[in-house]
Amino acid sequence: MKYILVIGDGMADNPVPELGGRTPLEYARVPYIDALAAKGTVGSVVNCPKGLPPGSDTAILSIFGNDPRDCYTGRSPLEAAASGIQLAPGDVSYRCNMVTLEDGDAPFAEKKILSHSGGSIDGMESIKLVEDLFKDPAFHAAAEKAGLRVYPAASFRHIAVQSAADIRQIVLIPPHDHLGEVIGPLLPSGNANAEVLRDLMERAYTVLNHHPINEARRAEGKLPANGVWFWAEGSAVALSSFEDKFGKRGTVISAVPLCHGIARLSGLEVTEVEGATGELETNYEGKVDAAICALKAGRAFAAIHIEAPDECTHNGDLKGKVQAIEWLDSRVVAPLTDALAEAGFDYRLLLLSDHKTLTATRGHDGDPVPFLLYDSRVDTGRGLPYTEASGKKGPFYADGAAVDMKLLFEEAVDGI
Ligand SMILES: [Zn+2]
């Protein structure tokens, strides 16, 4: 028996006028997912507990069976764990996004934030920019004074760690929830350390705005990555063992550090896939191959996380979001289920969105999301497609952390 988790990050949504009042899940052509849904069970679940910020950090902790109300200290410590960064007592880690700020003469606080990802900058360009920033003499001195160092990543998602940092009452706002807005009210606030971070963000803009890499990006019609944005603060976190909780060993396949970190901290394996980007153009086939390989090698559990629907929504790319959902169907679910059948495995598959990402706001939402549970040995005959509306007709669970993995692993759960 094999158990497969597929997370389509942020694919759930509300009805969208441009799609004739349908949601992207309703609009997208997903024949393979719908065939599983028709024979399985579609319900809805809340993965982001009330009172915590809705996002992949809280939602994916829940999905893997960790109650974020007990273990969530912030997003970046989970990502730091993925990179093997050890946080000492008193250390605080932050996400240090490359972002795009409006250029021109407006004072720093009056600029708008145009992209939370520096126009999806990645690879050596992103590494070089953040390294050059931290080597700039004036910035270097200010960062050193703040006790702040950076761990560059080959994407827009760098990690910064600050020693002896005070984050009590600090307010750091996720940039992807405020695209197009003036940054003044969004900049770090709440305590003296916030002023330090705010000053570093302003200095970073001065260093980065006319950096040769950004001038080259502008010349190519791309957005410059002319700012950094500190958020997702948190101290070291410990998670309980997945194997102890569910008696299963397995692997997690994702492009994003957050999922790798949650996996590592839970004692699950991480399989890195060449060409997995977290964007619409990613190595879907490689991810499916990695899952099948792990299952054939004796693992009972494999998780595939696809970030693209969320990223497309943040980028205001509705067509991309629909395409991401259709590719999740044709390039993940179709080959995955074919390969499982060919290998002769009985399996259960749980497919869900971690949280909603709303086309209307380009931000996250903590509403219930639809899940699809399919068991290859069973035909429930329910006949519903996989949509938000079908989810409302099925079983509802208010606490994803308590049920998601139990549903997958056939443990007793009311309503199924
Ligand atoms: Zn997101």
Side-chain angles (χ1 to χ4, degrees):
M1 190 69 193
K2 301 295 181 187
Y3 301 91
I4 299 102
L5 170 67
V6 178
I7 303 173
D9 203 297
M11 65 182 168
D13 204 331
N14 290 339
V16 177
E18 296 95 303
L19 302 179
R22 282 172 285 179
T23 67
L25 277 177
E26 287 169 340
Y27 183 85
R29 244 183 61 80
V30 289
Y32 296 93
I33 292 174
D34 283 342
L36 299 183
K39 292 182 179 173
T41 301
V42 181
S44 57
V45 63
V46 177
N47 292 319
C48 304
K50 278 206 169 44
L52 288 178
S56 291
D57 43 10
T58 51
I60 295 177
L61 277 171
S62 287
I63 293 173
F64 282 93
N66 309 282
D67 189 335
R69 286 165 295 199
D70 300 335
C71 64
Y72 180 75
T73 74
R75 176 180 182 127
S76 68
L78 300 165
E79 298 184 332
S83 317
I85 300 168
Q86 301 271 357
L87 298 180
D91 279 359
V92 166
S93 68
Y94 305 94
R95 173 70 84 68
C96 172
N97 276 45
M98 301 304 305
V99 297
T100 305
L101 304 175
E102 212 175 23
D103 52 17
D105 297 332
F108 185 66
E110 288 171 27
K111 295 180 186 300
K112 289 181 182 154
I113 178 163
L114 305 180
S115 165
H116 67 291
S117 61
S120 302
I121 191 166
D122 66 1
M124 276 315 293
E125 269 193 339
S126 186
I127 293 173
K128 179 98 172 72
L129 270 180
V130 84
E131 282 182 352
D132 284 359
L133 172 64
F134 276 75
K135 278 186 212 152
D136 174 85
F139 189 89
H140 179 84
E144 198 156 66
K145 194 168 167 224
L148 190 92
R149 56 199 187 274
V150 74
Y151 295 86
S155 74
F156 64 86
R157 305 176 180 90
H158 308 303
I159 298 283
V161 175
Q162 189 181 21
S163 330
D166 183 5
I167 52 169
R168 285 169 300 174
Q169 273 88 49
I170 203 165
V171 181
L172 303 180
I173 292 179
H176 48 257
D177 287 339
H178 298 275
L179 298 171
E181 295 179 24
V182 168
I183 61 173
L186 310 171
L187 291 169
S189 64
N191 72 10
N193 190 34
E195 299 303 316
V196 173
L197 297 176
R198 194 180 170 124
D199 173 61
L200 287 168
M201 285 164 68
E202 184 161 359
R203 287 170 183 273
Y205 173 80
T206 314
V207 176
L208 293 173
N209 194 31
H210 294 297
H211 188 287
I213 288 177
N214 281 329
E215 297 298 15
R217 287 179 65 83
R218 286 188 178 99
E220 289 169 39
K222 294 178 181 167
L223 289 173
N226 60 359
V228 296
W229 195 279
F230 299 112
W231 64 286
E233 72 283 5
S235 49
V237 61
L239 301 181
S240 54
S241 149
F242 189 85
E243 193 176 351
D244 289 353
K245 273 187 298 210
F246 303 112
K248 304 286 188 298
R249 293 177 59 200
T251 193
V252 175
I253 299 150
S254 170
V256 302
L258 172 71
C259 288
H260 295 166
I262 292 174
R264 292 225 158 94
L265 289 164
S266 314
L268 287 161
E269 293 164 8
V270 169
T271 307
E272 305 250 10
V273 173
E274 182 89 28
T277 58
E279 306 282 338
L280 182 57
E281 297 296 339
T282 188
N283 186 358
Y284 295 94
E285 291 73 17
K287 288 181 154 184
V288 172
D289 285 348
I292 293 295
C293 260
L295 296 170
K296 284 186 174 167
R299 303 288 176 269
F301 169 69
I304 300 180
H305 169 262
I306 301 287
E307 174 76 355
D310 183 64
E311 274 306 302
C312 290
T313 322
H314 292 313
N315 292 336
D317 178 7
L318 179 58
K319 214 171 133 224
K321 180 169 193 173
V322 170
Q323 181 67 79
I325 294 168
E326 293 186 344
W327 279 345
L328 179 68
D329 185 67
S330 62
R331 297 174 67 183
V332 177
V333 172
L336 182 68
T337 50
D338 282 351
L340 287 162
E342 201 170 293
F345 292 134
D346 288 328
Y347 64 94
R348 279 165 83 86
L349 183 146
L350 178 68
L351 178 139
L352 77 177
S353 186
D354 50 348
H355 52 69
K356 283 186 175 177
T357 309
L358 303 182
T359 296
T361 62
R362 294 167 64 183
H364 297 158
D365 182 276
D367 273 2
V369 289
F371 71 82
L372 155 60
L373 181 65
Y374 171 76
D375 187 319
S376 65
R377 302 161 300 180
V378 180
D379 182 350
T380 62
R382 292 188 194 211
L384 293 171
Y386 176 67
T387 62
E388 295 83 354
S390 300
K392 287 183 189 150
K393 295 179 191 154
F396 167 73
Y397 300 105
D399 183 2
V403 301
D404 289 341
M405 283 303 105
K406 286 189 179 170
L407 289 173
L408 182 60
F409 294 134
E410 300 180 78
E411 293 182 27
V413 173
D414 289 345
I416 292 279

